Amino acid sequence: METLDTIFQTYADYAWGLPLLILLIGGGLYLLGRSGFLPFRYFFHALNVLRGKYDDPNAPGEITHFQALSTALASTIGMGNIAGVAVAIHIGGPGAMFWMWMSAIVGMSTKFFTCTLAIMYRGKDSNGDIQGGPMYFIMEGLGKSWKPLAVFFSICGLIGALPVFNVNQLKQAINFILLEPNGVEVSTTSNIIIGVILVAITAVVILGGLDRISKTASKLVPSMVVLYFALVLIILGVYLDEVPRYLALMFTDAFAGEYYNGDSFLGGLVGGLILLGVRRGAFSNEAGIGTAPMAHGASKTNEPVREGLVAMLGPAIDTLVVCTLTALAILVTGVWQTSEVNGVSLTAAAFNDAIPVYGNYLLLLCIATFSISSLFTYSYYGTKCMSFLFGAHNKHYYNYFYIASIILGAITPLSMMLNLIDGTFALMAIPTMTATIILAPKVIKEMKAYAKRINL
């Protein structure tokens, strides 16, 4: 197990090297500048689209704008915000959050472009059904000669869509919050039992297809986000005097790196902090990775720009709001300096400190909902990749592989699962960002035409 852990660590570190940093952040800045900050100028219009003002029930696609965003957010609002932020602070201290913010701001532009392309260049699977996502906009937008890039994305997507990290952290939360405090012995057997229960819940939903997934996500995600917000605001209320100090420290420590204890990058602490922030930011909001365009590509709309604007809201909700609240909860309670635990257990320690007795259990409810909704969403991403590679009639086979991997996530260490998904996400970003940068001028042209058409 230790050897495998080392292999996955090396794999993730190589994948998240300087070339990928340039591609994700440099590419995102190029898209932002090239568009003249167009997505941000239409932020309030995006909110109107999200609330259904422009919905057309007769438009092609499977789900509404709101369901598409909920489906995408179901995979991002969850362990990336609760466990991923805790990992970032455990390694990098308060300064890591600043670079997660920068990653999210750039990611908003990236997500606008990728999800607009997902509608502009929808393709058809072997059943003749309309589909969207990086593999399709690579083929339809760049031509069949680029098929190897689309195939590479889909192969990586089969691994990147596995739920192993979410399952691992849900198991850790159940053990840390529910079982251990109540004297229940945690063992491989108890972890397998947790895995089997999750297998049963997941199978019921994912075998029902996208319609059941999106409807379940659109009901679960908003209510749990509200509950999570309320809990964090209670924590911040308890430690109100500490909030301004730690907000300021997020900025100052981003350039000082006083609390950073990870590997150096580009020869310095700040370089390491930047990489950590970008890596955890990408894990949190998935901008540039290519998963969200698969959900948004199924939206019922004839207007690609409209879907891109809705998708752009994802990193704002996910990283700028939810991740920041989580980070403040961990920082103001002081558990990041006094506790040795990492991942979701660190967040749980903060909740237990500020809201004794009930805080942990309410957090567990949020974690369970976020994790389980993520399980539903990621299965959809994997089946789309499977369908592209092997035909729509074979996509259901992925669900069995996916369900089996839940047991794997329940019995393996945090670092191994985190590095496996981290590294694969990095590889998925290569074809997604390459195609997006090449096709960016066509998105800008479509954006200008859309703005003129509806008098924005």
Side-chain angles (χ1 to χ4, degrees):
M1 195 68 82
E2 286 181 12
T3 304
L4 274 175
D5 200 8
T6 304
I7 290 170
F8 285 144
Q9 174 75 54
T10 305
Y11 161 63
D13 287 345
Y14 272 109
W16 279 95
L18 182 59
L20 186 72
L21 190 68
I22 293 171
L23 185 63
L24 265 180
I25 298 301
L29 288 171
Y30 163 77
L31 295 173
L32 192 59
R34 182 81 169 74
S35 67
F37 296 85
L38 276 175
F40 297 100
R41 284 161 33 199
Y42 301 130
F43 188 85
F44 292 105
H45 175 67
L47 293 175
N48 284 331
V49 175
L50 179 64
R51 64 187 181 86
K53 185 176 179 180
Y54 299 93
D55 281 359
D56 178 2
N58 298 315
E62 298 178 72
I63 54 180
T64 66
H65 292 296
F66 181 74
Q67 286 175 331
L69 184 62
S70 293
T71 303
L73 284 176
S75 66
T76 57
I77 291 185
M79 285 309 170
N81 308 94
I82 298 172
V85 170
V87 169
I89 290 174
H90 180 77
I91 297 172
M97 267 314 299
F98 176 85
W99 297 111
M100 286 183 70
W101 293 336
M102 294 303 102
S103 171
I105 291 169
V106 172
M108 288 176 69
S109 176
T110 301
K111 200 162 261 193
F112 165 75
F113 276 84
T114 57
C115 294
T116 299
L117 286 170
I119 300 294
M120 281 178 71
Y121 295 106
R122 286 199 269 209
K124 290 185 178 179
D125 60 22
S126 59
N127 283 344
D129 296 326
I130 293 175
Q131 300 289 353
M135 64 286 246
Y136 291 102
F137 69 65
I138 289 170
M139 289 284 290
E140 302 297 323
L142 297 178
K144 292 195 171 25
S145 61
W146 289 79
K147 186 173 182 178
L149 201 64
V151 169
F152 178 72
F153 172 84
S154 299
I155 291 171
C156 293
L158 293 176
I159 305 299
L162 292 178
V164 286
F165 175 75
N166 287 304
V167 170
N168 178 278
Q169 287 295 275
L170 178 54
K171 169 211 70 176
Q172 186 175 319
I174 291 171
N175 289 342
F176 186 82
I177 296 171
L178 192 62
L179 301 187
E180 291 173 358
N182 291 294
V184 178
E185 183 183 353
V186 172
S187 63
T188 302
T189 302
S190 66
N191 291 337
I192 290 174
I193 291 171
I194 292 171
V196 170
I197 292 170
L198 291 176
V199 163
I201 295 170
T202 306
V204 169
V205 175
I206 69 173
L207 297 178
L210 176 62
D211 185 57
R212 190 180 294 176
I213 292 169
S214 62
K215 285 179 179 176
T216 304
S218 64
K219 288 180 174 64
L220 287 176
V221 174
S223 57
M224 283 304 105
V225 168
V226 170
L227 175 59
Y228 187 69
F229 268 46
L231 292 173
V232 176
L233 290 175
I234 291 170
I235 294 173
L236 299 186
V238 172
Y239 289 92
L240 191 59
D241 293 343
E242 295 290 325
V243 173
R245 180 166 83 89
Y246 280 107
L247 274 174
L249 195 57
M250 288 180 188
F251 288 90
T252 57
D253 191 55
F255 302 95
E258 182 182 347
Y259 299 96
Y260 180 69
N261 58 17
D263 296 329
S264 63
F265 180 70
L266 299 179
L269 295 177
V270 175
L273 261 177
I274 293 171
L275 181 61
L276 175 67
V278 172
R279 191 164 164 175
R280 296 276 63 80
F283 190 85
S284 168
N285 58 54
E286 296 173 21
I289 305 301
T291 50
M294 288 191 272
H296 287 281
S299 183
K300 285 185 177 180
T301 183
N302 286 311
E303 295 284 5
V305 169
R306 221 167 254 170
E307 195 58 36
L309 289 170
V310 169
M312 178 190 75
L313 299 172
I317 297 168
D318 181 277
T319 306
L320 298 181
V321 179
V322 183
C323 284
T324 302
L325 289 174
T326 302
L328 283 170
I330 292 169
L331 291 169
V332 299
T333 54
V335 297
W336 63 290
Q337 290 180 303
T338 60
S339 177
E340 292 299 316
V341 294
N342 193 9
V344 70
S345 298
L346 184 60
T347 310
F351 274 68
N352 188 56
D353 179 274
I355 314 173
V357 184
Y358 302 108
N360 265 352
Y361 293 107
L362 291 170
L363 175 64
L364 182 58
L365 177 63
C366 293
I367 289 169
T369 305
F370 289 149
S371 294
I372 292 169
S373 64
S374 296
L375 298 187
F376 306 154
T377 305
Y378 274 112
S379 69
Y380 171 64
Y381 296 154
T383 55
K384 287 198 71 159
C385 293
M386 186 79 168
S387 176
F388 180 81
L389 291 169
F390 303 109
H393 59 290
N394 289 316
K395 69 179 181 180
H396 65 283
Y397 289 116
Y398 181 80
N399 283 332
Y400 306 125
F401 172 56
Y402 182 92
I403 288 168
S405 76
I406 292 174
I407 302 295
L408 176 68
I411 61 174
T412 43
L414 161 63
S415 58
M416 188 184 295
M417 295 300 94
L418 183 62
N419 286 323
L420 172 64
I421 301 303
D422 257 358
T424 308
F425 268 19
L427 297 182
M428 290 169 69
I430 295 170
T432 301
M433 288 300 295
T434 301
T436 301
I437 290 167
I438 294 170
L439 292 168
K442 295 187 178 181
V443 175
I444 293 165
K445 182 179 178 182
E446 180 69 23
M447 179 79 206
K448 290 177 179 176
Y450 174 78
K452 186 176 182 181
R453 195 159 57 247
I454 63 168
N455 297 317
L456 278 179

